[in-house]
Amino acid sequence: MPWIMEMISQYGYIAIFALLALGLLGLPVPDELLMLFVGYLSSTMVLDFSVSVLVCFIGSITGMLISYTIGLRLGQPVVDKYGKWIGLTPKRFASVKRWFFRFGNWTVFIAYFVPGLRHVTSYISGISAMSFRKYLIVTVAGAFIWSLLFVSIGYLVGARLSFA
């Protein structure tokens, strides 16, 4: 976390955006902790609450859309070539795709709240050629609720700590 604090103190909202976008691509950024910290900073008036939620929302959508695009353009050949090394045989992946076609919308939405799963679902959405319009609607809804929830929790905890 210290490097995240340093990034935010030096670059502000741009760092928040970039860290969330990169975190949702799958890089090891603690997304929830980042947003809780952003909420805390909002409670101490270092950051603006509304702008913080908006930046977290846009950063998360950006990361998810890039992941979707990577999955759509590069995913299937990579799975075909290297999937067997991680136990993802063609038969098993066909089963994942069938399941995803059936429950993909809910999976993408719920995955926002499950660390690790949210990263994978974006790539699978692209590989499965999920309708971009459906993906965008579900992603926007999930990103908004996820961002608002975690920044708000950080804000409320920070406000409570400052009154203690």
Side-chain angles (χ1 to χ4, degrees), residues 21-79:
L22 292 172
L24 286 164
L25 281 171
L27 296 177
V29 175
D31 304 319
E32 287 84 2
L33 289 176
L34 171 63
M35 289 191 295
L36 291 171
F37 181 63
V38 167
Y40 168 76
L41 291 177
S42 297
S43 75
T44 61
M45 305 303 183
V46 172
L47 298 172
D48 180 79
F49 177 79
S50 299
V51 174
S52 296
V53 170
L54 180 65
V55 168
C56 288
F57 170 70
I58 294 170
S60 65
I61 287 177
T62 301
M64 295 292 271
L65 291 177
I66 292 171
S67 299
Y68 173 88
T69 303
I70 291 171
L72 185 65
R73 305 255 189 251
L74 306 174
Q76 192 62 55
V78 170
V79 169

Side-chain angles (χ1 to χ4, degrees), residues 67-79 88 93 97 101 120-130:
S67 299
Y68 173 88
T69 303
I70 291 171
L72 185 65
R73 305 255 189 251
L74 306 174
Q76 192 62 55
V78 170
V79 169
L88 199 55
F93 194 67
K97 283 172 99 172
F101 277 121
V120 174
T121 57
S122 295
Y123 292 107
I124 294 175
S125 297
I127 294 169
S128 301
M130 179 182 201

Side-chain angles (χ1 to χ4, degrees), residues 51-151:
V51 174
S52 296
V53 170
L54 180 65
V55 168
C56 288
F57 170 70
I58 294 170
S60 65
I61 287 177
T62 301
M64 295 292 271
L65 291 177
I66 292 171
S67 299
Y68 173 88
T69 303
I70 291 171
L72 185 65
R73 305 255 189 251
L74 306 174
Q76 192 62 55
V78 170
V79 169
D80 292 342
K81 188 170 183 177
Y82 301 107
K84 63 183 175 235
W85 292 4
I86 58 169
L88 199 55
T89 63
K91 183 179 177 182
R92 187 175 284 166
F93 194 67
S95 166
V96 168
K97 283 172 99 172
R98 278 193 307 277
W99 187 88
F100 202 80
F101 277 121
R102 194 167 176 199
F103 302 109
N105 292 346
W106 287 107
T107 304
V108 172
F109 182 80
I110 292 169
Y112 261 105
F113 303 94
V114 182
L117 186 58
R118 80 177 139 260
H119 307 96
V120 174
T121 57
S122 295
Y123 292 107
I124 294 175
S125 297
I127 294 169
S128 301
M130 179 182 201
S131 159
F132 181 76
R133 184 172 182 214
K134 281 184 185 179
Y135 179 77
L136 186 61
I137 290 168
V138 174
T139 299
V140 166
F144 179 73
I145 293 169
W146 185 62
S147 300
L148 182 62
L149 177 69
F150 280 94
V151 174

